[in-house]
Amino acid sequence: MKYTIVIIDDHILIANALSDFISNFTQFKVLYVCKNGKDFQDKIKTKPIPDIALLDISMPIMDGFETSKWLKETYPTVLVMALSMQNDEQSLIKMIKNGAKGYLLKNTNPNELKKALNELVDKGYFFPDWATSKILTSISDNTINADIRTNLSDREIEFLKYTPTEMTYREISEKMFCSPRTIENYRDSLFEKLELKTRVGLAVYALRNGYEK
């Protein structure tokens, strides 16, 4: 059995290159290509529903953020793999919040693409090394360990709720009426308690465990 894929990308050359790469993978096949989210919405009405959507983030008319949110609400069984030109933490957080199960840089080589697709279908998610491996554990676990919950202070939890937003640490400090240095202390404390290393990790943990503004 082959897993089916739809590529949604307004750059035709990139979309065709991805399609050519995937045609060499025995486990996957491309059903069709769309130029943006609206095009995908129109085509999926009359064409098969894919197992995977390879979804560009930056597109005209209907971008990857809108499209992933729509898929999450309308076709939740479709696994969304976001495509981006940059390792942008804020975009990663927003895509995960909108239901993406994977994140892939466009400059990846065919072997990495194959690995990413295999992990997506085998594990249900794929995220790059810079997002930290600990995220993978929090993605598959919807509950907070009771001991960890007890060890989190009210202010740490309040800060944790802000991590999935697009606010900078300085903006968060203004919202919480404290200094940026205090925010850094909350961040570092949570890194240690939750065994995480990046804001992306904190954001994903917050989203998966109900800590959200």
Side-chain angles (χ1 to χ4, degrees), residues 5-173:
I5 296 174
V6 167
I7 299 171
I8 309 164
D9 195 318
D10 64 313
H11 296 95
I12 302 302
L13 289 176
I14 292 177
N16 289 338
L18 284 170
S19 183
D20 289 342
F21 288 149
I22 293 169
S23 68
N24 295 315
F25 303 159
T26 56
Q27 201 174 359
F28 303 93
K29 72 173 181 178
V30 175
L31 293 176
Y32 46 96
V33 174
C34 304
K35 58 187 177 183
N36 54 55
K38 182 63 171 62
D39 187 29
F40 180 47
Q41 284 182 327
D42 293 339
K43 286 182 178 177
I44 203 171
K45 295 175 183 177
T46 57
K47 294 180 180 292
I49 299 170
D51 298 309
I52 299 168
L54 283 182
L55 179 60
D56 185 20
I57 291 178
S58 301
M59 296 181 293
I61 302 177
M62 186 174 182
D63 63 20
F65 301 115
E66 295 176 88
T67 307
S68 59
K69 185 176 181 180
W70 175 77
L71 277 170
K72 180 181 178 182
E73 296 168 350
T74 313
Y75 297 99
T77 61
V78 177
L79 296 170
V80 174
M81 174 79 80
L83 298 172
S84 177
M85 293 296 293
Q86 299 179 332
N87 55 346
D88 175 3
E89 288 192 356
Q90 292 303 316
S91 294
L92 172 58
I93 292 170
K94 190 172 180 179
M95 285 301 292
I96 292 172
K97 190 173 182 178
N98 287 357
K101 302 300 183 188
Y103 197 94
L104 192 64
L105 296 180
K106 285 190 174 183
N107 63 357
T108 190
N109 62 55
N111 287 334
E112 284 298 312
L113 172 61
K114 184 177 182 180
K115 176 187 174 184
L117 291 173
N118 282 328
E119 288 197 19
L120 184 65
V121 296
D122 291 342
K123 298 180 180 179
Y125 50 79
F126 172 83
F127 292 97
D129 291 340
W130 54 268
T132 81
S133 59
K134 185 66 178 180
I135 293 178
L136 305 183
T137 301
S138 65
I139 286 171
S140 59
D141 181 5
N142 289 327
T143 60
I144 301 174
N145 182 286
D147 293 335
I148 294 177
R149 185 192 294 272
T150 301
N151 289 331
L152 298 184
S153 70
D154 290 342
R155 291 290 277 176
E156 287 172 346
I157 290 173
E158 184 179 358
F159 166 71
L160 192 59
K161 290 179 179 179
Y162 281 111
T163 57
T165 70
E166 298 181 27
M167 296 172 63
T168 64
Y169 286 136
R170 179 171 293 278
E171 289 170 337
I172 294 173
S173 72

